[in-house]
Amino acid sequence: MLLKEQQIENMKELRKELKATARNSPQMVNFTDSVQRLGLEHQLEREIKAALEDMYQTYTLLDNDDLTSASLRFRLLRQEGYHILPDVFNKFNDEDGKFKESLAADIPGLLALYEAANLLVYGEEILEEALAFSTAHL
């Protein structure tokens, strides 16, 4: 019985943490991703849905977004069925319209880009390029 009480307390702490995290912030994106990867999403379903809805309603590519944050935010929203345009990745292109070679050194960013690019819809050229770029450099 003590273990069950500890689990309930842990879930209360997770809920509190989720509510305390500023919406659309990198911390919210990372926290939501971590909860999903740990398989706890079903226990925090309402809170995560509310966080994702807030994230979608205020969705913009922040000027200080790095490849990891932009890719992660895109993936989280796209996998939940939100209509997110892939042009958020244009920021990471060079003058020739190709992904900047400097991104090849950003392994966490490449992995997040790879996961995001796998949610492409037919005809989304930038995601096709993102998939090829991230695959080649991972």
Side-chain angles (χ1 to χ4, degrees):
M1 195 67 172
L2 189 58
L3 182 60
K4 185 71 170 173
E5 290 172 7
Q6 183 62 39
Q7 289 175 332
I8 291 170
E9 279 302 310
N10 289 344
M11 291 311 298
K12 286 180 183 177
E13 284 297 315
L14 280 174
R15 281 188 175 89
K16 192 184 307 181
E17 179 82 21
L18 188 59
K19 290 177 182 177
T21 307
R23 72 177 184 196
N24 211 20
S25 69
Q27 294 85 5
M28 172 60 79
V29 173
N30 290 328
F31 186 78
T32 303
D33 180 53
S34 296
V35 167
Q36 287 180 344
R37 289 183 188 272
L38 289 170
L40 300 173
E41 181 179 21
H42 65 282
Q43 295 180 7
L44 297 167
E45 190 172 348
R46 282 181 306 187
E47 291 85 356
I48 289 176
K49 282 191 185 294
L52 289 173
E53 183 63 30
D54 282 347
M55 199 182 301
Y56 178 69
Q57 294 299 327
T58 60
Y59 185 77
T60 58
L61 180 63
L62 305 174
D63 287 335
N64 61 349
D65 262 356
D66 59 6
L67 183 60
T68 305
S69 297
S71 300
L72 188 53
R73 186 178 294 114
F74 178 88
R75 180 183 60 81
L76 287 171
L77 291 170
R78 176 72 69 99
Q79 79 184 10
E80 292 300 320
Y82 291 99
H83 181 68
I84 301 296
L85 295 175
D87 56 352
V88 298
F89 296 107
N90 288 337
K91 169 185 177 178
F92 303 104
N93 289 348
D94 60 18
E95 305 82 39
D96 298 326
K98 303 290 182 198
F99 280 90
K100 297 174 185 172
E101 283 300 317
S102 61
L103 298 172
D106 181 7
I107 302 302
L110 284 175
L111 183 56
L113 180 63
Y114 176 81
E115 291 175 337
N118 273 289
L119 296 174
L120 66 86
V121 174
Y122 179 77
E124 292 179 328
E125 290 181 25
I126 191 158
L127 289 182
E128 291 172 4
E129 291 174 20
L131 188 57
F133 179 81
S134 59
T135 301
H137 290 90
L138 280 175

